[in-house]
Amino acid sequence: MKNNIDWNDYELETQAVRAGQQRGFENEHSMPIFATSSYVFESAEEANLRFTGKKAGNIYSRFTNPTVNAFEERLAFMEKGERCVAFASGMAAIMSLGMSLLKAGDHIISSRSIFGSTIVMFDNYFGKFGVTTDYVALSDLAAWEAAIKPDTKFLFVESPSNPLMELGDIKALAELAHKHDCLLVVDNVFCTPVLQKPLELGADIVVHSATKYIDGHGRCIGGAVIASDELIETAFYPYLRTCGATMSAFNAWVFLSGLETLAIRMQAHSESALKLAQWLEAQDAVSKVHYPGLESHAQHELAKRQQSHFGGVVSFELKGGKDAAWKLIDATQMLSITANLGDVKSTITHPATTTHGRLTPEVRATAGIKDGLVRVSVGLENIEDIKRDLSHGL
Ligand SMILES: *Cc1c(COP(=O)(O)O)cnc(C)c1O
């Protein structure tokens, strides 16, 4: 492998395995973990040139570390973005949107069914500094447009949504945002660049929690922002450099190997999830299955257009309400009862009493989170074993 290959000429699976790694003078084959907080300079003059940015090179691992940089470069290629900045967690990446792009008095719009901590961050923490947030229905374009104000800086979308697997039309939302001089931010955690490339569809910024599918084995916490060179250079990188929500070199090293198998894992998760969704639809105890790969999904056509596969998360409603949902969960022997997702191990969750338990019953009802709803993040176990485990409680 030469150090000067242009990975833009290669496909995603190849970028995932090889892009971003610069072979060092030991000619190592695997990317090393650079466990160093700082770097030495050849001379006082060189130190000065690096600090002023006149000469490229490492300075201090809060903002330049070769292992973290390799992860950033690889993910940027895969998302078809110009540049990436890694963060200590998905929430730290979302926090950087506020710190890098917003000031007191600004306004943002978000889809209503997003990750719970993201709502708390927008309302309690952005809100504390005078930023206001309006929430709208993900698929209602007219509602997005009606919510735009002169001070609106960005639209924030999670697609598909959790746990109901609704989709936002990223292309249409990007056009809407740009018509009103706003940016479109997409949280691409559920799809990863393997299934969906928001920047190609017109979005300006992608945020990630690497904790989920990118790691894929439930080991490390991390996040990332991918955007244009200009946005990273003027907004996100200076924020990271100063405020320091930095990804550790060890975590970046774990995520690099996660990226290497991401494409085959996402395909396998998606294939099993589709089989599970079809099987669940045929069960008497189940009243509704939410999965974009099903013909019965209201946005199946959009899902086919916008995504290359339908993803690994399936949710479904049991006729027997909360009692039936808890009974089903407790009757499983193999599935992990945990709110995490994107793992090689299948996980099962009751959203109404866990991830969405802090919401009032009324807000939950508006969000469509019924008491009988169960969410499964379909792992890489044999699909027949997953079905058998769920059949105990059906
Ligand atoms: C988990 C998650 C986050 C937050 O990421 P952390 O790495 O846990 O901080 C943000 N968005 C979505 C969609 C997530 O699933």
Side-chain angles (χ1 to χ4, degrees):
M1 181 169 57
K2 314 294 190 305
N3 275 342
N4 57 1
I5 290 179
D6 180 0
W7 295 109
N8 283 309
D9 297 340
Y10 290 78
E11 299 297 326
L12 177 137
E13 291 81 358
T14 312
Q15 295 166 343
V17 172
R18 293 189 175 270
Q21 185 184 344
Q22 298 287 324
R23 197 163 287 160
F25 53 78
E26 297 292 354
N27 252 344
E28 70 284 349
H29 196 198
S30 167
M31 183 72 208
I33 305 174
F34 282 87
T36 178
S37 50
S38 70
Y39 306 83
V40 286
F41 311 110
E42 296 294 331
S43 62
E45 189 195 4
E46 204 211 359
N48 171 255
L49 291 174
R50 289 225 201 144
F51 265 85
T52 52
K54 290 182 185 130
K55 188 173 173 192
N58 298 307
I59 301 172
Y60 187 60
S61 281
R62 189 190 323 115
F63 48 97
T64 57
N65 176 281
T67 316
V68 178
N69 295 155
F71 168 74
E72 292 169 334
E73 224 177 281
R74 186 171 292 183
L75 186 57
F77 276 115
M78 292 172 72
E79 285 284 2
K80 296 221 180 290
E82 289 175 0
R83 217 168 129 191
C84 168
V85 178
F87 286 96
S89 68
M91 293 322 298
I94 295 170
M95 181 69 189
S96 79
L97 296 168
M99 300 304 272
S100 304
L101 303 173
L102 303 177
K103 61 178 187 321
D106 282 344
H107 172 250
I108 59 175
I109 309 169
S110 169
S111 51
R112 193 168 283 133
S113 39
I114 54 171
F115 193 65
S117 297
T118 310
I119 296 183
V120 177
M121 181 189 294
F122 289 171
D123 289 347
N124 295 9
Y125 293 92
F126 288 14
K128 190 159 99 167
F129 294 95
V131 170
T132 52
T133 307
D134 278 316
Y135 298 92
V136 297
L138 178 59
S139 56
D140 187 350
L141 267 183
W144 284 94
E145 183 147 35
I148 295 177
K149 300 179 189 177
D151 289 326
T152 307
K153 288 295 168 353
F154 64 74
L155 317 185
F156 184 93
V157 178
E158 219 178 282
S159 179
S161 70
N162 177 19
L164 291 179
M165 305 304 284
E166 292 164 331
L167 269 66
D169 186 334
I170 294 173
K171 199 155 175 260
L173 284 164
E175 280 163 16
L176 178 67
H178 298 155
K179 193 171 106 186
H180 293 275
D181 267 340
C182 306
L183 299 170
L184 178 68
V185 183
V186 177
D187 179 329
N188 205 24
V189 169
F190 268 55
C191 278
T192 81
V194 176
L195 306 190
Q196 168 173 290
K197 296 190 183 65
L199 300 174
E200 273 193 332
L201 296 166
D204 303 283
I205 300 167
V206 164
V207 295
H208 267 293
S209 163
T211 316
K212 312 294 168 53
Y213 287 106
I214 290 179
D215 177 348
H217 301 71
R219 298 165 295 196
C220 290
I221 303 278
V225 170
I226 302 101
S228 66
D229 248 332
E230 194 197 339
L231 269 176
I232 298 284
E233 189 60 33
T234 59
F236 293 100
Y237 180 70
Y239 162 71
L240 174 84
R241 180 170 175 152
T242 309
C243 298
T246 307
M247 176 183 283
S248 80
F250 176 82
N251 286 10
W253 180 78
V254 171
F255 295 139
L256 273 166
S257 67
L259 288 177
E260 289 168 7
T261 56
L262 187 63
I264 51 174
R265 279 190 287 111
M266 292 313 290
Q267 278 161 30
H269 283 298
S270 298
E271 277 166 27
S272 287
L274 179 59
K275 285 183 192 153
L276 184 70
Q278 287 165 339
W279 177 78
L280 284 165
E281 253 190 343
Q283 303 300 310
D284 284 339
V286 175
S287 54
K288 173 110 188 105
V289 182
H290 303 274
Y291 186 68
L294 293 174
E295 307 240 336
S296 61
H297 190 282
Q299 295 162 301
H300 181 58
E301 289 307 314
L302 173 61
K304 283 203 284 195
R305 217 168 48 236
Q306 184 162 287
Q307 302 179 201
S308 64
H309 296 272
F310 303 109
V313 178
V314 179
S315 64
F316 53 100
E317 281 153 30
L318 293 171
K319 289 176 186 160
K322 183 195 144 191
D323 290 347
W326 277 29
K327 183 169 156 265
L328 171 79
I329 291 170
D330 288 341
T332 59
Q333 291 164 7
M334 173 182 77
L335 266 56
S336 314
I337 306 174
T338 165
N340 197 24
L341 60 91
D343 199 296
V344 292
K345 300 184 181 87
S346 295
T347 66
I348 189 163
T349 315
H350 184 237
T353 53
T354 59
T355 51
H356 294 69
R358 281 178 295 181
L359 307 177
T360 63
E362 296 75 46
V363 174
R364 248 195 330 269
T366 328
I369 315 285
K370 303 229 172 85
D371 287 348
L373 188 76
V374 173
R375 190 194 74 190
V376 174
S377 167
V378 183
L380 301 185
E381 305 95 339
N382 187 293
I383 181 62
E384 297 307 322
D385 288 329
I386 298 172
K387 285 189 213 163
R388 189 155 51 93
D389 210 37
L390 286 168
S391 68
H392 300 309
L394 280 174

